[in-house]
Amino acid sequence: EVYLVESGGGLVQPGGSLRLSCAASGFTFSTSWMHWVRQHPGKGLVWVSRISDDGATTNYADSVEGRFTISRDNGRNTVYLQMNSLRADDTAVYFCVRDRPGTGDYWGQGTLVTVS
Amino acid sequence: DVVMTQTPLSLSVTPGQTASISCKSSQSLLNSVGNTYLSWFVQKPGQSPQLLIHEVSRRVSGVPDRFSGSGSGTDFTLKISRVEAEDVGVYHCMSGLTLPWTFGQGTKVEI
């Protein structure tokens, strides 16, 4: 069974940094593209970033470009999201999502980031 | 970016009845090789989103056939037949045509 387990969320002051991790199991991680999607409190879903299976290609939402960095370690079956210069509007639950053509088929349980 | 508009934003349904949710995109979700990348997710209370349907009408394994997706181009519909209590949650449509993925506002279904 596919599992995606996020960690690393918490309370951080504006301007601070956090690194989120997503540990994957139950599938061949090294051949899967991965995404981060966030959900502001009580709001809808917003795509944040994507990374290719080999880590060579990354994409970001305009709102996080230059502040967030997605990376992965295929040896550890883990994808990361390094978040710098955090702002109040980055407060959200962050989900790790496995890519399949045109959609995301498995989502982690999410980790809450609060910037205050 | 593709703008996704869902209606209604909330829906109260009696068990056994049919619920219908509309999702419209600001541009066609049909790609150059004939795939239409429109997905539906359900987010049950306190949980993360779960994929129900992808490519307009393809149900994920294990999803009851009470759930059906239809549509083409820019207009799509999710129907839940014979609604059950366990169907409560927020239903999201999503465009996966290009990055960024974009989502509808979500439709809250109550029983």
Side-chain angles (χ1 to χ4, degrees):
Chain A
E1 189 168 349
V2 172
Y3 287 102
L4 297 169
V5 180
E6 301 94 336
S7 60
L11 176 63
V12 61
Q13 293 185 338
S17 299
L18 274 180
R19 188 176 83 155
L20 306 184
S21 300
C22 170
S25 60
F27 64 100
T28 306
F29 181 75
S30 60
T31 61
S32 296
W33 293 50
M34 299 295 296
H35 300 253
W36 288 95
V37 173
R38 67 185 180 183
Q39 187 170 35
H40 298 98
K43 301 293 187 183
L45 300 163
V46 179
W47 177 83
V48 174
S49 184
R50 180 186 73 174
I51 188 166
S52 61
D53 52 0
D54 63 359
T57 301
T58 58
N59 306 94
Y60 298 94
D62 290 346
S63 58
V64 307
E65 179 86 55
R67 299 187 300 123
F68 290 11
T69 302
I70 191 171
S71 63
R72 65 192 295 158
D73 182 338
N74 285 346
R76 295 177 184 272
N77 286 1
T78 301
V79 61
Y80 304 99
L81 188 67
Q82 176 67 44
M83 305 187 297
N84 298 331
S85 303
L86 283 161
R87 313 186 301 220
D89 62 359
D90 294 317
T91 294
V93 174
Y94 285 75
F95 298 102
C96 170
V97 185
R98 189 179 78 166
D99 182 90
R100 69 169 289 159
T103 193
D105 60 354
Y106 286 96
W107 296 55
Q109 86 288 348
T111 187
L112 175 63
V113 172
T114 302
V115 184
S116 178
Chain B
D1 298 358
V2 179
V3 177
M4 305 297 286
T5 303
Q6 275 182 247
T7 54
L9 298 185
S10 67
L11 193 52
S12 183
V13 190
T14 301
Q17 290 190 330
T18 296
S20 184
I21 301 170
S22 171
C23 179
K24 296 184 189 296
S25 57
S26 61
Q27 64 188 74
S28 174
L29 300 188
L30 176 66
N31 70 7
S32 59
V33 295
N35 306 108
T36 302
Y37 286 140
L38 183 283
S39 302
W40 291 97
F41 299 85
V42 61
Q43 189 170 19
K44 296 186 177 182
Q47 297 184 17
S48 58
Q50 302 168 239
L51 180 64
L52 289 173
I53 287 171
H54 63 101
E55 293 184 62
V56 181
S57 59
R58 296 175 186 265
R59 266 191 313 275
V60 170
S61 175
V63 172
D65 62 6
R66 301 185 295 103
F67 291 85
S68 63
S70 63
S72 63
T74 61
D75 287 355
F76 306 95
T77 301
L78 175 70
K79 283 193 177 168
I80 313 171
S81 303
R82 305 182 302 281
V83 168
E84 299 180 2
E86 67 178 26
D87 298 333
V88 295
V90 178
Y91 290 77
H92 307 270
C93 63
M94 186 196 94
S95 163
L97 179 68
T98 58
L99 293 183
W101 286 348
T102 52
F103 298 85
Q105 310 95 307
T107 296
K108 185 174 184 179
V109 172
E110 299 173 317
I111 306 297

